[in-house]
Amino acid sequence: MFGGQMPVIKVGRMAGQFAKPRSAEFEEKDGVKLPVYKGDNINGDAFDEKNRNPDPQRLIRAYSQSATTLNLLRAFATGGYAAMQRVTQWNLDFVEHSEQGNRYQELASRVDEALGFMNAAGLTVDHPIMTTTDFWTSHECLHLPYEQSLTRLDSTSGLYYDCSAHVLWVGERTRQLDGAHVEFLRGLSNPIGIKAEVRAFFDVHEQEGSHPGGIHLEMTRQNVTECIGGS
């Protein structure tokens, strides 16, 4: 926000991403064939029959953990942790001693100096805009029974919203135009994301006369297939 002089909407992929899309229904190791791991809200990752069998209780635990995460997020966002005066204390440990970490600290110091000037000039810096933040959540709309159970009708507008997240997206394996996931998302009023190559994403919007609302860049220090070109 400081660097671009533009408002920034903060969206986090959290509080609900417990299902994993899979290309096959079964996995085989050393002659043993078991259902594939489909995410912690369905079955377990360990390769044995007990863990790989679907367990409905996992959906209850996933919901409880998501609700707990959201409560913690609200506490951080409104309880002073997000105050601009703490900008120099915000850091990501794994980039703290990297080039990116150094660039962040430099920018944070500039913000801190600007806040100091505002305070010295008599401008208040304890306004809620400076001490709290709005934070939105997002995940892939994958496990339809879970998403359907958390969908509600807004009685004031007559519109349906999936309350499992603010922003939902349809993934690479579930974006068939005649599929159940697209049909379900078609009836929602949530903002919807679609996984597509970035240039094609902008090309489609240009052809349709619409504008891109934003792009999602996925980053991790772990060697996951989604970030290195695997399936």
Side-chain angles (χ1 to χ4, degrees):
M1 191 184 303
F2 180 80
Q5 300 293 299
M6 295 286 290
V8 175
I9 298 174
K10 295 161 283 294
V11 182
R13 181 179 177 178
M14 59 178 64
Q17 186 69 13
F18 293 100
K20 297 180 68 65
R22 311 298 288 182
S23 300
E25 288 295 320
F26 294 93
E27 178 182 4
E28 188 170 342
K29 291 183 180 179
D30 301 323
V32 179
K33 187 177 182 181
L34 294 174
V36 296
Y37 171 59
K38 291 188 174 182
D40 285 348
N41 68 347
I42 298 177
N43 57 6
D45 188 29
F47 192 77
D48 58 66
E49 187 173 358
K50 179 181 179 181
N51 275 280
R52 291 300 177 89
N53 282 334
D55 180 4
Q57 289 301 315
R58 287 177 171 270
L59 289 174
I60 305 298
R61 292 197 294 272
Y63 173 81
S64 298
Q65 185 168 334
S66 296
T68 301
T69 301
L70 287 174
N71 287 335
L72 180 63
L73 185 62
R74 293 186 187 101
F76 279 153
T78 61
Y81 188 81
M84 291 295 292
Q85 292 87 339
R86 297 174 58 95
V87 64
T88 56
Q89 301 174 38
W90 301 335
N91 66 77
L92 301 175
D93 291 340
F94 67 93
V95 298
E96 186 175 4
H97 301 294
S98 68
E99 179 183 352
Q100 290 79 8
N102 293 334
R103 290 175 60 190
Y104 172 79
Q105 289 299 334
E106 180 182 350
L107 182 63
S109 297
R110 290 170 56 195
V111 174
D112 203 37
E113 290 176 2
L115 292 174
F117 170 75
M118 291 171 59
N119 191 56
L123 299 175
T124 178
V125 293
D126 58 358
H127 190 278
I129 292 179
M130 305 295 290
T131 58
T132 64
T133 188
D134 290 324
F135 200 94
W136 313 96
T137 63
S138 176
H139 63 250
E140 181 175 352
C141 177
L142 184 64
H143 193 273
L144 286 183
Y146 181 82
E147 303 297 341
Q148 289 170 334
S149 67
L150 292 173
T151 298
R152 302 289 185 269
L153 174 66
D154 181 357
S155 60
T156 61
S157 66
L159 301 176
Y160 283 94
Y161 291 90
D162 185 343
C163 299
S164 70
H166 297 104
V167 182
L168 299 162
W169 75 78
V170 58
E172 187 72 17
R173 295 176 178 86
T174 57
R175 63 177 185 174
Q176 296 81 13
L177 295 181
D178 58 350
H181 290 80
V182 171
E183 177 63 19
F184 172 72
L185 289 167
R186 185 174 68 87
L188 300 178
S189 294
N190 301 64
I192 303 298
I194 299 176
K195 285 192 172 181
E197 192 273 337
V198 174
R199 290 189 179 90
F201 172 69
F202 283 92
D203 290 341
V204 168
H205 275 289
E206 184 178 5
Q207 294 171 19
E208 294 296 322
S210 54
H211 69 275
I215 59 173
H216 166 206
L217 303 176
E218 187 166 353
M219 298 178 293
T220 179
R221 56 179 171 165
Q222 297 178 332
N223 194 26
V224 300
T225 55
E226 290 92 340
C227 297
I228 61 173
S231 61

